[in-house]
Amino acid sequence: MLEKKIEMTQAIIDQYGVINGDNDTIHYDDELAKSRGFRGTLAHGLNVMGYAAGLAAQMYGDRWFTEGELYTKWIAPVCPGDQLVVTMDDDGTIEGRVAQGTTMIGYARLVNT
């Protein structure tokens, strides 16, 4: 099993927003996010998925870039202050977790193999 641990911060969320151009205030306005029932601002789902893609690249090597398939489903938020742990089992099963529980599930695999 492969594992990646990330201490999620608002700075990571802000930097990712600059990269992907997502300016939705739910990612930047803590009071707004809390008024909508969240623990704080929300990390971008694609940023969280990117950590899974990094694990897949580790597992599959160069073939990942031409034959890789990634599927993720986001089921709970990742907020600043969370320790996000993304794991990938030997069969490609992906899970993201924070202290409150599972945040992302999915798989990564090679196609055409």
Side-chain angles (χ1 to χ4, degrees), residues 44-50 72-77 102-105:
H44 299 81
L46 291 174
N47 182 201
V48 175
M49 182 181 70
T72 57
K73 181 177 181 179
W74 304 296
I75 55 177
T102 301
T103 63
M104 175 182 67
I105 57 173

Side-chain angles (χ1 to χ4, degrees), residues 3-101:
E3 179 178 275
K4 172 90 175 162
K5 292 182 181 180
I6 304 94
E7 185 69 33
M8 188 54 65
T9 65
Q10 188 62 49
I12 291 171
I13 295 169
D14 293 348
Q15 290 167 355
Y16 189 80
V18 169
I19 292 168
N20 81 351
D22 184 344
N23 296 313
D24 189 324
T25 54
I26 200 75
H27 301 296
Y28 310 104
D29 187 331
D30 190 60
E31 287 183 29
L32 172 72
K34 288 178 178 174
S35 77
R36 293 189 179 171
F38 297 106
R39 292 177 285 110
T41 58
L42 306 182
H44 299 81
L46 291 174
N47 182 201
V48 175
M49 182 181 70
Y51 298 122
L55 293 178
Q58 274 184 260
M59 178 177 282
Y60 299 120
D62 288 343
R63 291 181 63 201
W64 171 250
F65 300 103
T66 56
E67 300 173 53
E69 176 180 80
L70 178 63
Y71 169 82
T72 57
K73 181 177 181 179
W74 304 296
I75 55 177
V78 177
C79 302
D82 286 345
Q83 173 147 331
L84 172 64
V85 179
V86 179
T87 58
M88 187 169 145
D89 291 338
D90 292 340
D91 68 357
T93 300
I94 293 168
E95 182 179 32
R97 294 187 61 79
V98 296
Q100 291 77 13

